Every structure is written in structure tokens, then in C-alpha cells.
Amino acid sequence: MKKAMTITYGVRNGVYVNMTNRCNCSCTFCIRNLADGAYGSDPLWLEREPTVQEVIDSLKQWDLSQKDEVVFCGYGEPTERLDDLLEVAAWIKQNYTIPVRINTNGLADLLYGRHTAPLLKDKIDVVSISLNDVTAEDYTRVTRPIYGKKAFAAMQAYATECAQVVPKVVMTVVDEVTTKEEQQKAAEIAASCGAVLRVRPLEK
Ligand code: SF4
């Protein structure tokens, strides 16, 4: 496993932020099991977690006026550092008009034991939540959350609350590991949460 301080990296015309390698899931398809980076990036395993100032300094190295979005993603679950993430997002909003997205497993409320979606208001434009599967049993088997089966319902409740405070919520399933029937059911679940479904390729 190669480590580096790859705090930001480019994906298409977006700037992705890599703040932590911590995660409360252990997905069977996690890209971290397959490679040290994503989309041709340098290694995303961090030598240490960057400070908020280091994240901001790294973002300053990009011309964000020419980019489509900033995405909190990386090689871990971004909401493991929710307070720091929101501090960086606030800085972005104070200085740029660029949309800000979080790619998340949607389990922040279980992580913190409280409702966290309201904290995203006016700082985050899009929340992309990994739905992954359409039953609690299959979701738990595929994502292996530390919270067990209750994670499936908690993730949907989080999506519903996010949809009340951010402009857009997307729920995703991975094309290679779901059937067309499951994708149809996933679309219904997403709609019931006030979200839209995206069927995405295996990369995160
Ligand atoms: S939630 Fe994301 S980072 Fe965590 S194990 Fe699953 S795919 Fe990997």
C-alpha cells in the first residue's frame, strides 16, 4: 500500500477532496481493495489526515472558477470528518460559486448519534448517497456497516432529511453488482426519499 498526501485530485472537470481514510463500512466492492488511487490519481492512502488549512491550501492550487464542482470523496467516508468538511465547505462558499457535493455512505447520523443533515444547509449543493442494494439483508451483506442491519433504514432516513435541506440528493447503485430489477426497485426507494437514482460504474 503506497501512501501520500494527495489531498485534492482532479476527476473529469471536478476537484475531489480526500480528507480521511476512515470508514464505518467495509464494502465488498470498495475500490480501496483494488488499487491505491482512483481515476489515475496519486495514492489516496494518506500519510496522515490533512488539517482544514491544508485542505484549503490544496484547493487554492486549482483555478476553481474554471471547474464544474468540488466533491468530498476520497479514500474513506468524508463525514467521518464532518465538522472539518463543513468548515472547508463554508470557505468554498465564501469565496466561490462552484457547486459542492458530498459522496457519502449516508450513515453520518449513526456515526454521531444525532440528525446531521441540517448542518449541510447552504454549504452543500448535492449529496450523493450509496444505496447499493434494495433490501436490508443484501445491503448489509454488500456494505458490511459496523452498525449492522439498522444501517439500511438509517441511510434512507438520512437521504430523506438531506432532501429537505440541500438542492439535490442522488442515491447510487453500482451497475456491475445490481440487476435491472434491483435498479428499478432502487429508483423507487430513491424517489420515496426525495432523491434521484444514479446507476454508476464500479469506480467511486
Ligand atoms: S463506504 Fe465507500 S470508502 Fe467505505 S468501504 Fe464502502 S466504498 Fe469503501
Side-chain angles (χ1 to χ4, degrees), residues 13-17 59 64-72 89 92-93 96-102 123-127 167-168:
N13 199 38
V15 178
Y16 279 44
V17 183
L59 283 168
L64 294 182
S65 69
Q66 300 300 313
K67 294 293 179 182
D68 292 338
E69 59 179 346
V70 174
V71 184
F72 290 93
I92 296 169
K93 287 296 176 191
Y96 303 92
T97 56
I98 191 169
V100 178
R101 168 159 59 106
I102 301 178
K123 298 189 179 75
I124 304 298
D125 300 286
V126 182
V127 181
K168 186 174 183 182

Side-chain angles (χ1 to χ4, degrees), residues 23-27 29-32 74-77 105 143 204:
C23 188
N24 40 12
C25 287
S26 179
C27 299
F29 56 82
C30 182
I31 192 173
R32 302 184 305 175
Y75 250 29
E77 167 51 42
N105 59 24
T143 62
K204 189 168 180 181

Side-chain angles (χ1 to χ4, degrees), residues 91-182:
W91 175 82
I92 296 169
K93 287 296 176 191
Q94 282 162 10
N95 291 281
Y96 303 92
T97 56
I98 191 169
V100 178
R101 168 159 59 106
I102 301 178
N103 285 0
T104 176
N105 59 24
L107 302 180
D109 288 4
L110 289 179
L111 176 61
Y112 295 102
R114 61 192 169 96
H115 296 277
T116 61
L119 301 172
L120 308 181
K121 186 172 169 49
D122 298 330
K123 298 189 179 75
I124 304 298
D125 300 286
V126 182
V127 181
S128 179
I129 299 171
S130 301
L131 173 57
N132 286 329
D133 222 310
V134 297
T135 68
E137 288 73 20
D138 288 340
Y139 172 87
T140 308
R141 177 178 50 77
V142 169
T143 62
R144 300 184 289 194
I146 62 172
Y147 316 105
K149 277 188 185 172
K150 68 180 179 184
F152 187 61
M155 173 268 296
Q156 292 174 72
Y158 176 78
T160 302
E161 293 190 16
C162 284
Q164 293 165 8
V165 293
V166 304
K168 186 174 183 182
V169 178
V170 180
M171 299 178 88
T172 66
V173 294
V174 176
D175 200 12
E176 289 87 341
V177 298
T178 50
T179 66
K180 294 299 175 203
E181 290 75 21
E182 288 168 336

Side-chain angles (χ1 to χ4, degrees), residues 2-37:
K2 289 183 187 151
K3 291 189 175 183
M5 285 304 286
T6 309
I7 303 171
T8 55
Y9 56 104
V11 178
R12 294 176 289 274
N13 199 38
V15 178
Y16 279 44
V17 183
N18 182 38
M19 291 182 70
T20 184
N21 293 148
R22 285 181 274 157
C23 188
N24 40 12
C25 287
S26 179
C27 299
T28 54
F29 56 82
C30 182
I31 192 173
R32 302 184 305 175
N33 302 328
L34 306 173
D36 289 332

